Structure formats: structure tokens, C-alpha cells
Amino acid sequence: MDKQNFLAEAEVAHKPVKKKSTIVKLVFIGLALVLGMLIAFCPMRFGFWNYKPFMSNIKLGLDLEGGVYAVYQATETDTDNFASKLEGTRASLQALLVSKGYAEATVVIEGNDRIRVDVPSVENTSDILKIIGEPAKVSFVLTETKETVLTGDDVKGASAMYSPNDGGYVVSLDLTSEGQDKFFNATSNNINKTMDIVVTIGEESTTISSPTINLAISGNAIISGNFTADSAQKLADQINSGTFDVALEQRQIDTISPTLGDNALKYGLIAGIVGFILVIAFMCAIYRMLGVGASISLLFYVILYLFFLSVLPWVQLTLPGIAGILLSIGMAVDANIVIFERIKDEYRNGKSIMAAYHAGFKKALFSILDSNVTTVIACVLLLLLGTGSVSGFALTLLVGVLISLFTSLMVSRGIIKYFLNFNSYNAKLYNLRRSKQYADLGADVTDAQIQADMDKELEDKRKKKEEKKRLREMEKNAKQARATTEGGDNA
């Protein structure tokens, strides 16, 4: 078929589709964007309630906000393998702080027998004591003979939990294999006798529970004693502190100022805002309405990003973290550019704007997923192997990459689709150009067929769904019929 006949047969009217519903959807998107910007950035007052934007809830690291530091000294240095035990204590203390939401906390060994702890975003120095806790030693002692069955050396860790059987909160002790054997032997040989659970903090020992041994207990131990959620967690933290390989004594505690200056955050935010504006200007200038759609999706990206940074307990923003944010914004823009360049290639080679839009998103999908999956893998490895600022950078980058995938592949696609519903025949509006071979081909020459194919696909899905429903009804009726027949035969 020659070009003239093709044009004659495929020509369609320039008419927007689903105009009213498209207007409603775009208005809804605009309202959602305005609402998101308000709750993200604007403090508001509702009667007696002052609302703080969730951006203000993002925790800052040592280099941006400062914090506190504490120095602990080992009290027992005349033990075998002291250096390895001190390193084990440092690692345990680091894990305890990370579990409390302080991923940016740093724990280092100073000299031969000291450990220094730097914790960001702590408002007063007493909070560091609540985080680390005063080390506690737990022991299980037979009431009658005063024989100590278990000590802190037999405990690997402790955790607070709710126990329906005990009717409240308890502290679960994770015992070593040797500790489990000791506990089993002691409970087996002392059935119907009582055992005191003693917690020692400093020089003071307190019996918190004296349960009766009703049966031999294998596995881990449980401490019960009218705990609340807070008191159970506090005791678990104290026991975890007491299970360190080396006993520690606090020597010094004080505040520290931001290491990179008070203006570091302000200048970092200014750089981010300027860069974001330049990105939007570039996208709109190069891709026009496609760029406008991408810019709107980037605004949604920023709102979602700030929300997750404020609610995720492991995030503490540092300058490396800000670098991860800016890098993920660049990757979000990169995904849109890959899609738009694919759309331009499809239109250049003879497809209509609508057809190029569908083909561009479809063909760019796997390229975008491949590039982002490799980044996600790198972030996960940095989180597993890195500490401090390295893990902070990896976490912000990982969150940004996952959100950018959603906004690039879902939000951008939906917004651009609504733009095309208004105008899918003006190529200049989207900065699209034909190659010389297709210079005389209309911008929407195949849109009617595209719309027909989309409608047919939806109709086919509807028919398949109805067919599945009909088959399920037939199967259900057949089962009922068989059940009725079998009932009659038995009668």
C-alpha cells in the first residue's frame, strides 16, 4: 500500500477523548499535589492544635545537628582475649543503638580500654543514659539452697514481649546452649520448688520474681513480674548491656556541636532547591508537555520522599544522606528521559503520538528496571557492610530509588495520558518530530485504531472475567448437585 492510500484510509478527526473525566482526574491530581505540599512544608494551626509539617520530623545526624558523646572504660582488663572481647562489646553496643533508631551513631575504641559513643539528635545528655542503659546482671537462684543456676554469662540477649499465658509483658532471655542445659537440669531436679530471679544494677540486687518450678523447662527462659511495656523494655535493655563481653563504667558525657557548621544544612537545602528548579526548567524546555508531566511527578516524588524520611526510624539525615537524595532525584529524572527519548524515537519512525506514548513506556520499562535493580543491590550491600555515614547514604538512596520507580512508571504515565486525552495531534506541543521518510504522516493518523485496540483489550478482559465467573458458578452448581445425589442414595 502506498503512502497516499495509507493516509486516506487511516485519517481520523482531531477530537479529544474522555474530556470530562480527564478534567476531573487532573483537578484531583492538582488538589492532591497542593494538599501534599501544605502538609509537607507548611505549619498550620487548627484551634488549639498546632500542626508541624512532617519535614520538620526528619532526624538530623551529628554533622548537621550535633548530639552527645559518652566515654566508657572497661573495669576488668585482666581477662583472656581482652582485645577481642572489647571489640565484641563495641559491636554489641553499636547494634543496640541501631536497634533504637540511631543508625548514624558511631561507636569506636579509644586507646586500649575505652569505648567512645557519639549519638546524634539527642536533646539532652541524660538521653544517652536511657539509650545505653545502666548495665544489669540477671541471675536465677534456687530459693532454698541459694545456688545460682544461671548468670549473665549464660545469656546471649534479652527482649520485651507480650505473653498471653502470663497475662502481660515479660522479658524473654535468649540463652546460650550451655545455659539452656543448666536451666533444664535445674528445673528438672527442683520441681515444686521456687527460684528467685535476681537483677543486680551496680551494687544493688533486687528479687523481681520468685516463680514455682512446675515442670522441667527446655529452651529459653522467661522473666515475669507485673511489667508494663516500658518497664519490660527497660529491663531487656539493661540485661543486654549487662551481657557485654566487657564490663563498662561511664567516665565522661557531654554535648557536641555540628561538625560541619550550623549553615551546612541551609546551604545543602539551597543547593537542592536550585538543582530541582533547574531540572524542572530543563525538562519543560526540552520535552515541553512531556516535561511538564515529569515535573509534576517529581513534585509528588519530593513529597513522598520527605514523608518516608520522616517516618522511617532508621533514617538520620547527614550530608552524605543529602547526597543520596540528590542522586536519587537525578535517577528519577533519568528514568523519565529514557522514556521520553523512546517516545521520540517511536514517533520519528512513523507512529502516532498516542501509539508512541504506549510503545515508549512499554519498551523503556525493562531498561529502567535493570538500571535501578543494580542500584538497589549496591544500596543493600552498603547497608549490610557499611556503618555510620556510609549506611546513611545507602538508606536515603535506596528509599529514593524505590519511590522514583513508582513516580516515573506510574505517576508520570498517568499524567501524560491525561494530557494526550486533550491533545494527541499537535506534535509541537510535545516537541516531537518526524523523520524525512514520514514527514507527511499525520501526528494522530493511527489514534482511532489505537483507541479501538485499547477498547477491545478492555472488552476482552471483561469477557474473560465473566467467563471465569460463569465457570465457577457451573462448578459450584455441579458440586451441589453431586452432594444432593449422594444424599439421596444414602437415604
Side-chain angles (χ1 to χ4, degrees):
M1 182 184 295
D2 58 25
K3 183 186 293 185
Q4 288 76 15
N5 291 334
F6 177 78
L7 289 174
E9 293 182 7
E11 186 175 359
V12 296
H14 298 160
K15 184 174 71 174
V17 292
K18 302 180 181 178
K19 187 173 182 179
K20 291 184 179 180
S21 63
T22 298
I23 293 175
V24 172
K25 292 173 182 176
L26 286 175
V27 169
F28 176 78
I29 290 174
L31 292 175
L33 182 60
V34 172
L35 180 61
M37 298 287 282
L38 287 175
I39 63 176
F41 300 106
C42 301
M44 292 174 281
R45 182 180 178 86
F46 301 96
F48 296 101
W49 178 54
N50 291 324
Y51 170 77
K52 292 184 178 181
F54 54 72
M55 180 182 177
S56 62
N57 296 326
I58 299 175
K59 298 187 293 292
L60 303 180
L62 280 167
D63 53 357
L64 297 178
E65 190 178 54
V68 299
Y69 77 91
V71 177
Y72 291 86
Q73 184 166 3
T75 58
E76 300 174 2
T77 59
D78 298 331
T79 61
D80 295 335
N81 301 320
F82 174 75
S84 61
K85 289 182 178 180
L86 189 65
E87 171 59 27
T89 300
R90 185 208 65 79
S92 298
L93 190 52
Q94 177 85 56
L96 175 62
L97 292 169
V98 170
S99 69
K100 289 297 182 181
Y102 293 92
E104 295 292 337
T106 57
V107 183
V108 296
I109 295 175
E110 286 188 345
N112 297 323
D113 59 354
R114 290 193 175 198
I115 291 180
R116 178 185 170 112
V117 181
D118 293 325
V119 183
S121 300
V122 179
E123 295 180 356
N124 54 67
T125 55
S126 63
D127 287 347
I128 186 67
L129 297 177
K130 295 179 182 178
I131 296 168
I132 299 175
E134 187 177 358
K137 293 291 185 180
V138 64
S139 57
F140 287 71
V141 181
L142 293 174
T143 307
E144 184 177 337
T145 63
K146 303 301 179 183
E147 177 188 355
T148 300
V149 176
L150 293 179
T151 66
D153 295 335
D154 301 309
V155 180
K156 292 192 292 185
S159 60
M161 58 182 291
Y162 183 82
S163 174
N165 295 331
D166 293 282
Y169 288 92
V170 298
V171 177
S172 174
L173 299 182
D174 183 14
L175 303 179
T176 64
S177 58
E178 184 178 353
Q180 291 181 6
D181 292 338
K182 291 180 180 178
F183 197 56
F184 177 75
N185 291 333
T187 54
S188 300
N189 298 326
N190 293 277
I191 293 177
N192 295 326
K193 297 180 181 180
T194 59
M195 178 183 291
D196 297 333
I197 302 174
V198 181
V199 174
T200 302
I201 301 176
E203 300 297 329
E204 183 178 351
S205 297
T206 304
T207 301
I208 62 172
S209 181
S210 299
T212 300
I213 302 172
N214 295 321
L215 71 166
I217 301 174
S218 60
N220 295 322
I222 294 291
I223 301 176
S224 59
N226 298 320
F227 291 113
T228 64
D230 291 338
S231 62
Q233 186 61 56
K234 179 180 179 181
L235 179 58
D237 292 341
Q238 290 174 322
I239 292 173
N240 285 329
S241 300
T243 60
F244 293 157
D245 294 333
V246 174
L248 300 176
E249 184 178 48
Q250 180 186 314
R251 290 296 188 188
Q252 187 178 2
I253 185 168
D254 204 351
T255 59
I256 50 180
S257 60
T259 57
L260 296 178
D262 295 332
N263 294 324
L265 180 60
K266 179 177 71 175
Y267 292 138
L269 289 175
I270 291 174
I273 293 171
V274 171
F276 187 76
I277 293 174
L278 291 176
V279 166
I280 289 180
F282 169 82
M283 295 295 290
C284 294
I286 300 299
Y287 299 104
R288 299 183 186 175
M289 289 306 293
L290 295 178
V292 172
S295 300
I296 294 174
S297 73
L298 279 177
L299 291 173
F300 278 106
Y301 167 86
V302 170
I303 294 171
L304 290 172
Y305 205 168
L306 292 176
F307 172 75
F308 281 104
L309 290 180
S310 66
V311 299
L312 290 177
W314 318 285
V315 175
Q316 283 187 312
L317 194 59
T318 61
L319 280 187
I322 292 177
I325 293 174
L326 297 179
L327 181 58
S328 62
I329 291 176
M331 296 187 67
V333 175
D334 178 66
N336 282 289
I337 290 175
V338 171
I339 294 169
F340 297 161
E341 288 298 324
R342 182 70 72 174
I343 291 174
K344 292 174 71 173
D345 288 341
E346 296 293 329
Y347 180 80
R348 187 183 298 114
N349 293 327
K351 290 187 177 180
S352 71
I353 296 178
M354 185 71 76
Y357 155 78
H358 287 287
F361 271 94
K362 184 176 180 180
K363 293 183 178 180
L365 174 63
F366 290 104
S367 298
I368 294 171
L369 289 178
D370 287 345
S371 62
N372 282 276
V373 164
T374 56
T375 305
V376 168
I377 293 173
C379 291
V380 171
L381 290 176
L382 287 175
L383 282 173
L384 294 175
L385 303 178
T387 58
S389 297
V390 174
S391 62
F393 168 79
L395 183 58
T396 55
L397 180 58
L398 176 62
V399 173
V401 168
L402 296 177
I403 297 175
S404 71
L405 278 174
F406 170 74
T407 55
S408 298
L409 299 176
M410 302 296 292
V411 180
S412 289
R413 183 168 189 167
I415 293 172
I416 294 170
K417 177 184 177 182
Y418 300 145
F419 288 166
L420 291 176
N421 284 345
F422 277 100
N423 192 319
S424 62
Y425 52 84
N426 187 350
K428 292 182 179 180
L429 196 61
Y430 305 98
N431 200 20
L432 302 176
R433 295 181 179 85
R434 295 287 195 194
S435 63
K436 291 183 178 180
Q437 182 181 358
Y438 300 99
D440 298 329
L441 196 62
D444 61 343
V445 71
T446 58
D447 281 1
Q449 185 59 47
I450 293 293
Q451 189 63 43
D453 291 342
M454 291 172 61
D455 292 340
K456 184 177 183 301
E457 184 178 352
L458 290 174
E459 181 65 18
D460 290 342
K461 287 182 179 179
R462 186 185 65 80
K463 288 182 177 179
K464 287 181 179 179
K465 187 175 181 180
E466 290 181 352
E467 181 65 18
K468 288 182 179 180
K469 183 178 180 181
R470 187 180 66 84
L471 291 174
R472 284 197 298 267
E473 287 292 333
M474 291 178 60
E475 185 177 353
K476 181 179 178 181
N477 293 335
K479 287 183 178 179
Q480 290 178 348
R482 286 198 299 269
T484 302
T485 302
E486 290 175 356
D489 291 342
N490 290 335

